[in-house]
Amino acid sequence: MTPNPFPEVSSNEELDDVWAGYYVECVGCVDMVPVRPGDDPVEWAKRHTAEKPWHTRFRTTRIVNFSVTADQPGPAGFPTGLFPAAP
């Protein structure tokens, strides 16, 4: 059985118990790879820059997926103004 990729939480404190992914990504394109224990994000960035010399800016990102339940049910349908009517 696969755990829920977006577990429901009800407070900020619960986020500490949710699995977090750690990634290195190139700011110049959509390349993003997970950083596993023992991986060096700087080494990945150097290899990426060797292939694309104009890509020189990177960031590491910690991602925590979660979901919440609305306290009160909202109106049915799409929110007003989300999809304007065609003229």
Side-chain angles (χ1 to χ4, degrees):
M1 181 154 108
T2 304
N4 182 350
F6 290 86
E8 187 174 319
V9 298
S10 59
S11 69
N12 184 45
E13 290 78 25
E14 290 181 65
L15 288 177
D16 291 337
D17 297 329
V18 177
W19 179 84
Y22 180 50
Y23 300 87
V24 59
E25 59 184 305
C26 174
V27 177
C29 68
V30 296
D31 286 356
M32 179 169 111
V33 297
V35 177
R36 295 182 177 89
D39 287 352
D40 182 349
V42 175
E43 288 303 317
W44 179 85
K46 289 177 180 179
R47 288 192 306 273
H48 185 80
T49 299
E51 295 174 10
K52 299 174 182 175
W54 56 96
H55 291 199
T56 58
R57 298 178 305 140
F58 301 88
R59 71 172 59 99
T60 58
T61 307
R62 181 180 182 271
I63 298 175
V64 177
N65 294 329
F66 67 96
S67 64
V68 296
T69 301
D71 292 334
Q72 300 176 24
F78 295 110
T80 304
L82 185 60
F83 299 106

